[in-house]
Amino acid sequence: MDEATPAAPAPPATEPPAPDGPGRLRVPARAARALVLAAVFTCAACGLVYELALVALGSYLVGNSVTQASIVLSVMVFAMGIGSLAAKPLQGRPVVAFAVIEGALALAGGLSVLALYAAFAWLNLYVPALVVVAFAVGALIGAEIPLLMTLLQRIRKQDAGSAVADLFAADYVGALIGGLAFPFLLLPAFGHIKGALVVGVVNAVAGIAVVLWLFRRQIGRVARVALGLGMVAVLAVLCGTYALADGFEVSARQALYADPIALTKRTKYQEIVITKDVSLGGASDVRLFLNGDLQFSSVDEYRYHESLVHPLMSGPHGRVLVLGGGDGLALREVLRYKDVQSATLVELDPEMLHLARTYGPIASLNRRAFDDPRVRVVAADAFSWLRGLNQRFDAVVVDMPDPDDVSTAKLYSVEFYGMVKRVLAPGGRMVVQSGSPYFAPKSFWSIEKSIAAAGLATTPYHVDVPSFGDWGYVLASAGERPAARLAPGAPGLRFLDEPLLQAATVFPKDRRVRDVGVNTLIHPRLVEYEREEWKNA
């Protein structure tokens, strides 16, 4: 007879939950996973907003959006890899580690724009500061993924492929929402500094509160209290900074300008700043800046605009097209000719047009040119507008901002000038503001060669505008080389006359034609020339 096998002990009625299992969560496993994936979604959206904010700020402050985007994205992606590796030892305590990282990320990302603005305004250390901030934010973003994966696995074990698919699906969709929210919601509603701070608050709440609430039974009481207090401190810093942001921005912006700031506007296209200085004698100097670049000074703008417009008007000028020049000052000079039948002005930024019409000092300078019945105003991108144009013009004034980034360099390209040539009526002419042949000779002669490469005959000339220095223009026509002279019926001018204009076509030996390339859409050489020359000016 076989020996009887002893019976196994009966299992207890209820098994104690595993230390890390779903039994220690506050909600069922399915709901817990949904909450963690929601946190992934939100954190991804916040992370992409931080990236875009850094890129956009660099484009506003220093131009050259391609370089700024390259620095931010390459540094951040590299830092994300470093952060992921650095998070490996933290996976033993993922709840605490993730909460700490999210608090640090909320602070670093939320304060990033403010810190970089301060570095630019007071320390002149923008690029080094940008690299440090981008690395810090990128490393913290990179540390999120391994910890989030660990938290998901704590809720319910899942094969690696499915877990990665769920995690990255939430991450990528969140990035989409963040990418769309930045230009269409955050910038218009809050601006750069406040927008980043708002995102920091969202980041802190999503990254800390949700995880702490969901996994609170898996960490000790002291850790819960410490992390809770830490989150409160993070939110207090971000909210306090938000309350002080307007004052900070005013102080930082004023540090960039010599004269008192009279008006600022942040539009979807640019930052508009108007300064006004009143001398002891009562004379005022009103200056317009776009993204930090001086556009005119009321003291000597007549020199610039007389030189830009009146040599052009010695040719046919019944129908005139002004591309750029949203301040209306070039338009003012065009309208001084009574035989101008129509003047069409194309300006990208509607807010600039609104200021030119309604802001007293500028409306006074342009002599309320926009009220003239001969004027038609179009708020559009000149490049795109020209592509669909089927009208002809006798004279075209191209008064665009300097080509220091790709978005403006296309307005100085061979392709752009080719489109202008197409809309010129027989005998029609064009003039282009072309920068300084003294401070930026490569840029100046590249513009001239680009116009010539579009099949136009050119006459370059330059004059002295004290606010800018030696400043140049290119007069062009589709036929013979145009002569730089004044029209027989030209109105009385304060600065320009025939002898000066004839002398203006002569360049000193050290500033004559350079061996430079033409500027095209595919090869925007002007961006590199501008950055190199104005950096050393």
Side-chain angles (χ1 to χ4, degrees):
M1 182 175 179
D2 293 336
E3 194 173 25
T5 304
T14 305
E15 285 190 7
D20 296 335
R24 299 197 68 192
L25 299 173
R26 298 184 63 115
V27 296
R30 185 181 296 272
R33 284 177 58 80
L35 285 173
V36 172
L37 291 174
V40 174
F41 171 92
T42 306
C43 293
C46 294
L48 193 66
V49 168
Y50 298 145
E51 292 183 32
L52 294 175
L54 297 183
V55 172
L57 182 68
S59 300
Y60 278 136
L61 296 182
V62 299
N64 199 355
S65 56
V66 173
T67 298
Q68 299 305 309
S70 298
I71 291 174
V72 171
L73 297 180
S74 58
V75 170
M76 289 190 75
V77 170
F78 168 74
M80 286 167 67
I82 300 297
S84 294
L85 290 174
K88 289 173 68 175
L90 305 177
Q91 294 179 61
R93 301 193 67 188
V95 177
V96 173
F98 183 75
V100 170
I101 285 171
E102 289 307 301
L105 179 58
L107 281 177
L111 298 173
S112 60
V113 173
L114 182 144
L116 287 174
Y117 203 171
F120 180 80
W122 287 295
L123 304 177
N124 197 26
L125 291 173
Y126 180 78
V127 174
L130 175 63
V131 171
V132 171
V133 169
F135 185 89
V137 173
L140 292 168
I141 292 173
E144 292 175 327
I145 299 298
L147 297 174
L148 284 166
M149 181 67 76
T150 304
L151 292 176
L152 282 174
Q153 295 289 58
R154 280 198 168 194
I155 297 171
R156 175 168 59 85
K157 290 295 183 182
Q158 191 178 10
D159 67 88
S162 297
V164 169
D166 291 344
L167 187 68
F168 280 99
D171 187 81
Y172 294 152
V173 175
L176 170 67
I177 299 303
L180 294 176
F182 177 71
F184 296 114
L185 174 62
L186 292 169
L187 272 185
F190 298 102
H192 245 102
I193 293 177
K194 286 186 172 181
L197 290 167
V198 168
V199 173
V201 170
V202 173
N203 200 163
V205 172
I208 303 176
V210 171
V211 174
L212 279 184
W213 179 81
L214 188 61
F215 293 96
R216 63 176 298 167
R217 294 175 181 171
Q218 298 188 16
I219 57 176
R221 186 169 182 274
V222 173
R224 289 201 304 270
V225 172
L227 292 175
L229 292 175
M231 186 184 72
V232 171
V234 168
L235 294 176
V237 169
L238 294 173
C239 293
T241 306
Y242 185 97
L244 300 173
D246 288 336
F248 167 86
E249 190 169 2
V250 169
S251 299
R253 186 183 291 117
Q254 185 61 72
L256 301 175
Y257 299 95
D259 299 332
I261 293 174
L263 180 144
T264 63
K265 288 278 186 180
R266 173 81 72 181
T267 76
K268 64 185 294 187
Y269 301 106
Q270 60 197 347
E271 181 182 62
I272 302 171
V273 173
I274 298 173
T275 66
K276 184 175 182 181
D277 181 49
V278 180
S279 67
L280 293 176
S284 64
D285 181 6
V286 176
R287 297 187 173 216
L288 170 67
F289 297 84
L290 300 180
N291 290 341
D293 293 331
L294 177 65
Q295 304 303 303
F296 70 77
S297 163
S298 62
V299 172
D300 57 18
E301 58 80 15
Y302 66 92
R303 288 187 168 217
Y304 172 93
H305 291 101
E306 286 184 5
S307 302
L308 173 69
V309 171
H310 292 282
L312 173 74
M313 302 297 279
S314 64
H317 54 255
R319 295 158 297 174
V320 180
L321 173 63
V322 181
L323 301 174
D327 50 38
L329 300 180
L331 185 63
R332 174 198 67 200
E333 297 300 318
V334 167
L335 296 174
R336 295 179 70 185
Y337 292 80
K338 301 304 181 185
D339 53 347
V340 168
Q341 300 164 12
S342 66
T344 301
L345 185 142
V346 181
E347 163 65 36
L348 176 65
D349 194 344
E351 187 60 39
M352 186 67 248
L353 293 170
H354 177 72
L355 286 174
R357 291 176 184 272
T358 62
Y359 184 66
I362 296 183
S364 176
L365 274 177
N366 66 39
R367 299 176 193 167
R368 303 198 175 276
F370 293 96
D371 295 337
D372 193 297
R374 295 173 291 173
V375 172
R376 175 192 174 215
V377 176
V378 179
D381 171 61
F383 193 97
S384 300
W385 185 80
L386 277 174
R387 291 186 67 182
L389 189 64
N390 56 9
Q391 295 176 258
R392 294 293 186 96
F393 294 90
D394 301 304
V396 178
V397 179
V398 182
D399 188 18
M400 297 293 184
D402 291 343
D404 54 7
D405 62 26
V406 174
S407 62
T408 50
K410 74 176 184 180
L411 303 172
Y412 290 81
S413 64
V414 175
E415 293 86 347
F416 180 78
Y417 298 130
M419 289 191 292
V420 174
K421 179 185 176 184
R422 181 174 56 82
V423 304
L424 285 176
R429 308 200 300 176
M430 170 183 73
V431 68
V432 179
Q433 89 80 13
S434 306
S436 173
Y438 180 81
F439 294 109
K442 289 183 179 179
S443 301
F444 178 84
W445 291 111
S446 177
I447 293 170
E448 189 272 339
K449 290 183 73 171
S450 300
I451 296 171
L456 296 162
T458 64
T459 299
Y461 61 101
H462 63 123
V463 299
D464 178 55
V465 181
S467 295
F468 295 150
D470 184 33
W471 209 255
Y473 311 83
V474 177
L475 186 63
S477 76
E480 297 180 355
R481 187 170 181 265
R485 60 173 180 263
L486 295 178
L493 305 179
R494 297 172 61 187
F495 170 65
L496 201 62
D497 59 16
E498 286 288 354
L500 176 60
L501 190 51
Q502 294 306 309
T505 61
V506 179
F507 288 79
K509 290 174 64 177
D510 63 348
R511 289 298 180 265
R512 289 178 188 166
V513 180
R514 299 298 178 95
D515 183 17
V516 292
V518 300
N519 187 63
T520 68
L521 294 179
I522 302 301
H523 297 288
R525 294 181 174 90
L526 269 176
V527 176
E528 184 62 33
Y529 292 152
E530 285 274 318
R531 184 170 67 247
E532 171 193 337
E533 294 180 314
W534 284 107
K535 179 177 66 176
N536 299 324

